[in-house]
Amino acid sequence: MKLKLLLLVSFIVLFSSCKKDIQKLIDCNEKSLYKLTTFNVGVAVSYDKIINNERYKEIVKSQFNSITPEYAMKAEFIHPEENVFNWDEADQLVDFSIKENKSFHGHALIWHNHLPHWMENYTADWNIMFRNHIIALVSRYKGKIKAWDVVNEAFEDDGSLRNTIWKQHIGEHYITLAFQYASQADPDALLFYNDYNLESKPRKMEAVLKMAKELKSLGIQIHGIGMQMHVSFEYPTDRQIQNAIKSFEQTNLKVHISELDVVVNSNTKVEDPTFHLMKEQKKKVKIIVEAFNKLPSENKYGISIWGVSDADTWVRKEFGRKEWPLLYDENYSIKPSYCGFVEGLE
Ligand code: XIL
């Protein structure tokens, strides 16, 4: 009995000292991230949470000047039947962005994931269906949404074109067509191609840059590239990330670090965040922000974080494990990584 008590007490002491140590890594005050810089600092949001969680809403308003809908504009949600659009949540988010004077980053028009059944099993003219989807979304928010992710994740890590239903039914030129249709629907919108692993897979990066060059040479508008930046504290290396970001210096493309999160528990499988992991995460966030900040100002579109707090991260649901990849903890207090972001700007 005594032994059990002793064990329990030492566990509690150890746990609370660990928590205290992590607090020591928070060596900055919570300020307003977007006010510290001239490029966009954005966040992925859900309207539900804005409505139901005051603190969440407060953070979105005070820290960020750009929002990306985390789910509301994905085809399966916004376009559930061929002639049915579910505009409600997207409309409310767009209205919120206008009222609060935030930019809105539309995401994502053409993707192979999260498609409604009717689209996947379409039997009539794919080209018309594809065009209608793009035009419907872009024209509805013309003048209200400044930028769109037009095509998402079209390349494989080896640089080949992913064999999506879009490629199968429309052909390899579907990317070109998507940008063409989006720009017809809103000639003033900034149009982005968005993908992951661009920092770790040079072939993928090359393929994306080549595609952008080709579109430009055809006179088709493409303004920027979104590097999703779902990374871990260990990988890719700092050097890989720095080089990948730097490679945009040679282009006239805008860069959007579009879905930043830094996972820490993919190999470790700990039950709670540790001092070491939070320290490393803070360092990684700093490296990324610093590398981005060094780009010439013409290349800097912005950095968006993929969720407000660790309680909101997609990683927990998607990979079914404990994770703490964001800048705020579950209680919506700033983490060491928040200070890493601030330091990266200094
Ligand atoms: C994810 C969202 O975070 C989830 O809530 C949703 O269920 C699925 O999509 N790459 C992307 C994002 O471009 O749209 C994905 O977002 C994460 C991976």
Side-chain angles (χ1 to χ4, degrees):
M1 191 61 201
K2 261 190 184 163
L3 186 69
K4 267 194 185 162
L5 198 68
L6 194 70
L7 274 172
L8 187 71
V9 170
S10 39
F11 177 75
I12 292 172
V13 170
L14 199 75
F15 182 67
S16 55
S17 72
C18 191
K19 281 229 142 152
K20 256 192 231 140
D21 277 350
I22 292 178
Q23 285 300 315
K24 281 194 202 138
L25 293 168
I26 304 177
D27 51 4
C28 71
N29 294 320
E30 186 177 11
K31 21 202 146 193
S32 168
L33 292 179
Y34 79 87
K35 288 188 184 152
L36 300 176
T37 179
T38 51
F39 58 77
N40 287 324
V41 184
V43 65
V45 294
S46 97
Y47 192 67
D48 235 33
K49 289 180 185 160
I50 290 191
I51 290 299
N52 294 318
N53 184 335
E54 262 309 307
R55 174 69 180 137
Y56 179 100
K57 180 177 173 182
E58 209 267 323
I59 294 174
V60 172
K61 282 165 59 173
S62 62
Q63 300 298 320
F64 304 102
N65 60 352
S66 171
I67 60 175
T68 306
E70 185 170 357
Y71 195 62
M73 286 183 170
K74 289 184 170 143
E76 75 178 349
F77 184 77
I78 203 164
H79 201 172
E81 300 293 339
E82 186 171 7
N83 297 310
V84 178
F85 288 89
N86 187 8
W87 298 117
D88 208 40
E89 183 161 332
D91 281 359
Q92 310 226 44
L93 277 174
V94 170
D95 289 348
F96 171 81
S97 76
I98 294 169
K99 181 165 156 255
E100 299 299 335
N101 205 14
K102 314 285 179 204
S103 298
F104 195 100
H105 192 87
H107 171 88
L109 296 171
I110 295 299
W111 193 21
H112 59 279
N113 260 333
H114 293 282
L115 294 170
H117 292 296
W118 73 268
M119 246 184 210
E120 283 180 313
N121 302 306
Y122 202 61
T123 50
D125 188 326
W126 271 73
N127 214 323
I128 294 179
M129 178 269 275
F130 171 85
R131 182 172 183 273
N132 284 349
H133 177 73
I134 297 172
I135 304 259
L137 268 70
V138 178
S139 60
R140 182 174 183 91
Y141 301 109
K142 186 175 184 304
K144 293 183 171 177
I145 292 189
K146 282 193 201 141
W148 282 98
D149 288 335
V150 178
V151 178
N152 199 26
E153 303 180 354
F155 290 95
E156 298 282 1
D157 285 352
D158 67 3
S160 61
L161 196 59
R162 192 191 289 270
N163 192 19
T164 63
I165 56 165
W166 305 115
K167 180 184 160 204
Q168 289 161 18
H169 292 276
I170 296 172
E172 296 202 346
H173 65 305
Y174 84 88
I175 303 181
T176 312
L177 287 179
F179 277 87
Q180 203 177 339
Y181 296 150
S183 130
Q184 278 164 9
D186 186 354
D188 297 325
L190 292 177
L191 306 179
F192 284 77
Y193 173 83
N194 194 51
D195 215 327
Y196 61 92
N197 283 356
L198 296 180
E199 51 294 331
S200 56
K201 304 288 173 193
R203 292 245 171 109
K204 194 174 198 174
M205 175 69 114
E206 264 169 47
V208 168
L209 291 176
K210 185 162 164 261
M211 174 275 296
K213 232 184 180 168
E214 278 168 12
L215 256 62
K216 283 189 186 236
S217 72
L218 293 170
I220 289 167
Q221 298 288 321
I222 175 167
H223 304 95
I225 305 297
M227 306 176 79
Q228 293 184 4
M229 205 62 77
H230 295 294
V231 297
S232 106
F233 76 99
E234 315 168 279
Y235 181 81
T237 63
D238 296 349
R239 181 67 64 80
Q240 282 176 307
I241 293 175
Q242 287 157 336
N243 287 345
I245 294 176
K246 202 171 158 47
S247 63
F248 285 100
E249 274 181 13
Q250 267 61 267
T251 71
N252 50 3
L253 291 161
K254 295 186 186 302
V255 185
H256 183 201
I257 294 189
S258 55
E259 305 182 12
L260 176 63
D261 49 25
V262 179
V263 297
V264 293
N265 208 18
S266 46
N267 292 325
T268 32
K269 308 282 183 289
V270 293
E271 288 298 309
D272 289 287
T274 66
F275 180 82
H276 170 68
L277 293 175
M278 292 300 98
K279 187 169 168 220
E280 293 300 311
Q281 182 180 59
K282 177 184 187 183
K283 263 184 13 206
K284 203 72 172 181
V285 169
K286 178 181 174 183
I287 292 283
I288 295 168
V289 174
E290 206 170 51
F292 179 83
N293 204 20
K294 280 194 187 140
L295 282 172
S297 57
E298 320 82 78
N299 295 116
K300 285 193 271 196
Y301 171 77
I303 303 182
S304 298
I305 316 290
W306 206 244
V308 175
S309 87
D310 289 341
D312 310 305
T313 176
W314 73 298
V315 182
R316 291 185 180 183
K317 270 180 267 147
E318 184 80 14
F319 303 103
R321 63 164 195 261
K322 294 200 164 186
E323 251 317 335
W324 311 275
L326 298 171
L327 306 187
Y328 280 81
D329 69 18
E330 275 139 45
N331 303 316
Y332 293 89
S333 300
I334 59 167
K335 287 170 53 187
S337 50
Y338 179 98
C339 299
F341 196 108
V342 174
E343 279 176 34
L345 293 173
E346 282 161 1

